[in-house]
Amino acid sequence: IDKAAICGVSYGGLIAGAFAARFPSRATSLILVSALPPSWQPDARVLFFLRSPWLLSPLFCLGSVRLYREIATAQDTWWSGVTSSCRAGINVLRHMFHPGRMARRVHLLSSVLGPGRIDVEFAHVKVPTMIVTGEESLERVVSPRVTREYLALWPHARVETLARTGHLGIITRPEEFAALISGFVSAHAARKSA
């Protein structure tokens, strides 16, 4: 693939932004969803889990209960909220995360994040860009305010809020998420070909 629309979700937002900055001729557009900005630094909660990622992983999983409200709000009835939460929990158990790799990624970030580092590269991104967040009251992972920090680097970016969800919009509101992303990508692909 010579060129593509690049989409990054959460930690992947930093990766998508770095790709667009380093290979500007290969990105036709850029979409960052609930993304960590280049100014991000691990907070006390993250530092706590980094001390012993494997040992503390059960506690990390237990902390995921904080996402229940988001999952339930995205559904039309309280019962579908409960069943969706159970399905999400089963999915997490079936496709377990790797605590060691997660911790390693956070440690690797420390070498590129901070003023004058990766943000300098990001400032050169000029492709059509969309910043997507969930609702402030439902986001429990990356605050929409934090994700919108990208606007300081890219004032040309379009900002969208996916209703009735927080960090998990790609899972809790898949049809709405897909429509938002595909509409943006299609509009810019049409402009490029015109």
Side-chain angles (χ1 to χ4, degrees), residues 28-51:
T28 57
S29 58
L30 178 63
I31 303 106
L32 303 186
V33 184
S34 297
L36 295 173
S39 63
W40 182 80
Q41 295 293 317
D43 61 14
R45 180 179 175 277
V46 172
L47 292 172
F48 171 76
F49 286 113
L50 287 175
R51 284 193 282 185

Side-chain angles (χ1 to χ4, degrees), residues 30-100:
L30 178 63
I31 303 106
L32 303 186
V33 184
S34 297
L36 295 173
S39 63
W40 182 80
Q41 295 293 317
D43 61 14
R45 180 179 175 277
V46 172
L47 292 172
F48 171 76
F49 286 113
L50 287 175
R51 284 193 282 185
S52 185
W54 284 101
L55 184 63
L56 296 170
S57 62
L59 192 57
F60 178 81
C61 289
L62 188 60
S64 297
V65 170
R66 67 194 169 133
L67 300 173
Y68 170 76
R69 183 167 170 254
E70 175 186 353
I71 295 169
T73 301
Q75 306 306 311
D76 294 323
T77 66
W78 71 270
W79 180 247
S80 61
V82 170
T83 56
S84 292
S85 295
C86 290
R87 277 196 309 272
I90 290 168
N91 197 30
V92 167
L93 292 173
R94 287 179 54 212
H95 307 283
M96 280 299 283
F97 62 97
H98 192 287

Side-chain angles (χ1 to χ4, degrees), residues 43-181:
D43 61 14
R45 180 179 175 277
V46 172
L47 292 172
F48 171 76
F49 286 113
L50 287 175
R51 284 193 282 185
S52 185
W54 284 101
L55 184 63
L56 296 170
S57 62
L59 192 57
F60 178 81
C61 289
L62 188 60
S64 297
V65 170
R66 67 194 169 133
L67 300 173
Y68 170 76
R69 183 167 170 254
E70 175 186 353
I71 295 169
T73 301
Q75 306 306 311
D76 294 323
T77 66
W78 71 270
W79 180 247
S80 61
V82 170
T83 56
S84 292
S85 295
C86 290
R87 277 196 309 272
I90 290 168
N91 197 30
V92 167
L93 292 173
R94 287 179 54 212
H95 307 283
M96 280 299 283
F97 62 97
H98 192 287
R101 289 183 188 142
M102 288 174 69
R104 184 169 180 261
R105 284 186 212 117
V106 173
H107 288 300
L108 286 171
L109 276 180
S110 65
S111 66
V112 296
L113 293 182
R117 293 184 182 173
I118 200 169
D119 58 329
V120 173
E121 289 182 49
F122 276 42
H124 300 296
V125 172
K126 302 296 180 209
V127 298
T129 303
M130 183 166 64
I131 310 292
V132 181
T133 68
E135 293 183 10
E136 191 78 46
S137 64
L138 296 173
E139 174 64 74
R140 296 287 182 259
V141 181
V142 180
S143 166
R145 175 189 50 76
V146 170
T147 298
R148 286 191 295 269
E149 287 180 21
Y150 278 103
L151 291 174
L153 294 170
W154 305 322
H156 67 278
R158 171 179 158 187
V159 179
E160 294 288 341
T161 300
L162 198 56
R164 291 176 50 202
T165 194
H167 197 73
L168 304 176
I170 194 169
I171 297 166
T172 59
R173 311 278 293 166
E175 293 84 11
E176 294 82 356
F177 178 82
L180 185 62
I181 303 305

Side-chain angles (χ1 to χ4, degrees), residues 182-194:
S182 62
F184 179 77
V185 170
S186 297
H188 291 288
R191 283 189 203 141
K192 292 271 186 199
S193 62

